[in-house]
Amino acid sequence: MTRIEGHLRFEVEVNDGVVTDAWVSGGLYRGLETILLDREPADAFYISQRICGVCPISHGHASTMSTEKALGITIPNNARIIRNLIEAAQYIHSHILWFYTLAALDYVDPVKALTADIADTYALAHEAGTGVSDFGAVARRLQAFVDNGQLSIFTNGWFGHPAYAQDMPAELHLIAVAHYLEALEMQAVAAEVIAIMGGKFPHFMTSLPGGTTFVPTEQKLDDILFRLMRLNDWVTNTMIPDTLAIAPFYASALEYGGGHGNFLAWGVFNTESPELTDRYMPGGVVVTSKGLTVEDPDETKVAEYIEHAWYDSPTGLNPAVGETNAMFDEYNTDARYSWNKAPRYDGLPMEAGPLSRMLVAYLRGVSPVQDIIDSTLTALGAPGKPEVLVSLLGRVAARNLETKVVADWSLQWCHELIAAIAGGDSKYFEPSNGGDGQGGGLWEAPRGALGHWIDIKGGKIDRYQVVTPSTWDVSSRDADGVRGPMEEALIGTPIEEVERPLEACRVARSFDP
């Protein structure tokens, strides 16, 4: 599967134009848990973030939090704020990348954009309240690609597919293509924020166990705030209006793609409280078969199963005592077919990601989340019905709406840091005397719940386990044969052309695998 972050293969069975079974296979074994054994605990921060090229900040933070918990370190308040800021920049970068670069072409047809009337495009942009670009210049660039017999960055799309909304005007396609190009620049701006605080993206250097080595100056704070304001303006006035303009043409996607309806979030963006449930995006568990209610998360209820994955580790272990012993034999959907284990929470498969976080935050009464979800539901013609979010379109919308919430909070945290420094707080790091211990760093990457567990003995790493968001979402079947979240979400997806299953790709990409 293309246009995703990692390596993924999926198979589906289609009967009478509907997906009736699915198998999702993670195609890459990284083995970072093995690489980290017998190393210094401080090495885990640098090495473990190599797990992902899009969310290394989150892996770095989850790793460093696991070490801090094992060694009993409490970081200074300034370090907490700085970590929130650098994490926020990564979230904004990742969500813009996902929507425009990876997912938008499932809904937007650049070829159809060529038939747009330029004057009508400007009028539609004003009507939708979205950003105005030089639409004529974008149309000429597209036409040049076509005249040359190639579509450059748009090559290999299934453009003209009947699953594209036939009533979506060409002018809206052109607007989205223009913003696709602008999104590339916005990703660079977000990466600059990270670079100022942590070094060149993707792999940052400053959130070491104990706090942060980044010491802000007046000039650096000005550089960060300026860029965060620019990102906030673009997300508010382009990304959100684009989402609301395109979504009504794909309203049928509210009717499938929901999956098991089980959601897990460890929570992200720390307040001064150490509790997962007190985070800006709080932790929680939602099992919709029990109703739209939220429970507190409990890491001891996590277990990983390997019956359909290429491992010979003991099955059913909690990650704190987990093992990762690779054993590839063959790809066989009746036996083992993935490098992804099957994590379960209290025996249930759990979806991780922005939809999980937004649902948990909504049910916990986080006001910015409630406000933006309620206004979006009204715009989609489903006021007061948050249950419709458990769908393909709900998963897409949740990620984009979260971008706005995080962009707003990032400005708040920047001003909070400026006020703390102005008030005389100059502490950023708490040194440690080392020692032995066990700890779990429970956090959220942009694509979902993330956990790192470390066991330190004799000053060395004796055990290290990671459960990534993708491990949850593209989980293989478990010991009872229960499908993983993405596999289940694919069931019931309508397919117009079996040889070009665009609708199934939309469901898969909605998880940001």
Side-chain angles (χ1 to χ4, degrees):
M1 184 173 185
T2 61
R3 282 193 279 118
I4 60 172
E5 187 276 327
H7 300 261
L8 186 74
R9 161 180 178 164
F10 70 89
E11 289 187 49
V12 295
E13 282 186 4
V14 179
N15 289 289
D16 298 325
V18 176
V19 174
T20 53
D21 210 345
W23 298 264
V24 178
S25 173
L28 178 64
Y29 172 67
R30 292 186 172 94
L32 270 294
E33 292 95 338
T34 304
I35 292 171
L36 283 165
L37 296 179
D38 296 324
R39 289 182 175 270
E40 297 287 334
D43 290 349
F45 164 73
Y46 297 107
I47 295 174
S48 67
Q49 59 181 281
R50 268 66 185 174
I51 289 173
C52 181
V54 174
C55 57
I57 307 294
S58 308
H59 280 284
H61 283 155
S63 175
T64 208
M65 284 190 289
S66 71
T67 303
E68 287 161 352
K69 190 169 183 180
L71 300 180
I73 303 170
T74 300
I75 65 172
N77 191 52
N78 283 344
R80 172 188 67 82
I81 303 170
I82 288 170
R83 288 185 184 181
N84 280 352
L85 280 169
I86 198 169
E87 189 78 44
Q90 179 198 236
Y91 265 62
I92 297 168
H93 175 279
S94 180
H95 286 356
I96 293 174
L97 165 69
W98 174 81
F99 181 56
Y100 287 97
T101 308
L102 302 181
L105 295 179
D106 291 344
Y107 307 89
V108 174
D109 187 340
V111 175
K112 188 172 181 179
L114 289 173
T115 63
D117 179 89
I118 301 303
D120 288 347
T121 303
Y122 280 101
L124 181 57
H126 285 298
E127 181 184 343
T130 193
V132 173
S133 299
D134 187 343
F135 296 122
V138 172
R140 288 192 293 274
R141 290 175 67 183
L142 272 176
Q143 189 62 60
F145 288 147
V146 173
D147 291 343
N148 287 333
Q150 55 184 321
L151 281 171
S152 186
I153 56 177
F154 303 123
T155 300
N156 293 330
W158 290 337
F159 306 126
H161 193 290
Y164 282 106
Q166 299 302 303
D167 56 345
M168 184 165 145
E171 288 75 18
L172 187 50
H173 287 275
L174 181 56
I175 290 170
V177 170
H179 294 162
Y180 174 104
L181 299 174
E182 285 183 10
L184 300 174
E185 182 180 354
M186 290 301 110
Q187 292 168 47
V189 173
E192 288 170 3
V193 175
I194 296 169
I196 292 168
M197 292 187 285
K200 186 177 179 181
F201 190 66
H203 299 299
F204 73 133
M205 307 296 285
T206 50
S207 293
L208 302 178
T212 177
T213 59
F214 171 66
V215 178
T217 63
E218 184 177 342
Q219 181 62 55
K220 288 180 178 177
L221 287 169
D222 188 53
D223 290 344
I224 293 166
L225 182 57
F226 165 75
R227 287 168 173 80
L228 290 176
M229 291 175 67
R230 186 179 176 196
L231 289 166
N232 188 292
D233 179 73
W234 194 82
V235 169
T236 303
N237 296 307
T238 297
M239 187 173 184
I240 297 302
D242 282 356
T243 304
L244 297 177
I246 295 171
F249 295 99
Y250 291 95
S252 62
L254 289 169
E255 299 170 359
Y256 62 92
H260 291 292
N262 305 328
F263 300 93
L264 168 68
W266 296 126
V268 66
F269 303 119
N270 277 327
T271 64
E272 294 187 57
S273 165
E275 301 299 325
L276 303 182
T277 53
D278 289 339
R279 288 171 167 171
Y280 282 86
M281 280 291 183
V285 175
V286 178
V287 178
T288 57
S289 61
K290 299 179 180 177
L292 275 184
T293 58
V294 61
E295 301 173 3
D296 291 351
D298 179 356
E299 64 176 294
T300 66
K301 293 185 177 181
V302 177
E304 292 189 288
Y305 298 88
I306 55 89
E307 280 73 7
H308 295 280
W310 293 309
Y311 298 95
D312 65 357
S313 318
T315 194
L317 296 179
N318 180 269
V321 293
E323 297 181 16
T324 301
N325 304 320
M327 187 197 70
F328 177 80
D329 45 22
E330 63 175 346
Y331 177 85
N332 183 346
T333 55
D334 292 325
R336 301 177 190 270
Y337 60 92
S338 178
W339 284 114
N340 279 84
K341 298 178 182 177
R344 296 293 184 262
Y345 181 92
D346 203 16
L348 296 174
M350 288 283 162
E351 176 174 339
L355 178 55
S356 299
R357 287 192 294 270
M358 293 292 276
L359 275 177
V360 168
Y362 184 88
L363 295 173
R364 288 200 184 279
V366 177
S367 56
V369 173
Q370 286 187 325
D371 291 346
I372 199 166
I373 285 181
D374 285 340
S375 63
T376 301
L377 289 172
T378 299
L380 293 177
K385 296 180 178 178
E387 62 272 17
V388 304
L389 294 174
V390 186
S391 63
L392 166 58
L393 189 56
R395 192 174 297 111
V396 173
R399 181 171 276 104
N400 292 6
L401 299 180
E402 185 183 59
T403 314
K404 167 61 177 167
V405 174
V406 173
D408 286 347
W409 281 339
S410 72
L411 299 181
Q412 175 183 326
W413 295 325
C414 199
H415 288 297
E416 183 183 3
L417 180 60
I418 292 170
I421 296 170
D425 189 346
S426 59
K427 190 167 185 179
Y428 299 91
F429 194 81
E430 184 66 45
S432 167
N433 294 322
D436 293 351
Q438 290 181 305
L442 304 178
W443 196 238
E444 294 275 329
R447 58 176 52 87
L450 170 65
H452 284 227
W453 287 264
I454 193 170
D455 189 349
I456 304 170
K457 291 181 180 176
K460 301 287 187 180
I461 298 174
D462 186 64
R463 184 192 305 271
Y464 203 94
Q465 285 293 304
V466 179
V467 179
T468 68
S470 292
T471 310
W472 286 103
D473 287 337
V474 304
S475 150
S476 54
R477 282 162 166 75
D478 61 23
D480 296 324
V482 177
R483 300 183 188 95
M486 185 188 292
E487 292 175 335
E488 186 66 23
L490 284 160
I491 306 303
T493 300
I495 302 293
E496 292 210 35
E497 294 184 5
V498 172
E499 297 300 322
R500 299 192 300 169
L502 176 60
E503 304 92 331
C505 291
R506 286 173 178 159
V507 173
R509 289 197 186 95
S510 71
F511 285 88
D512 190 18

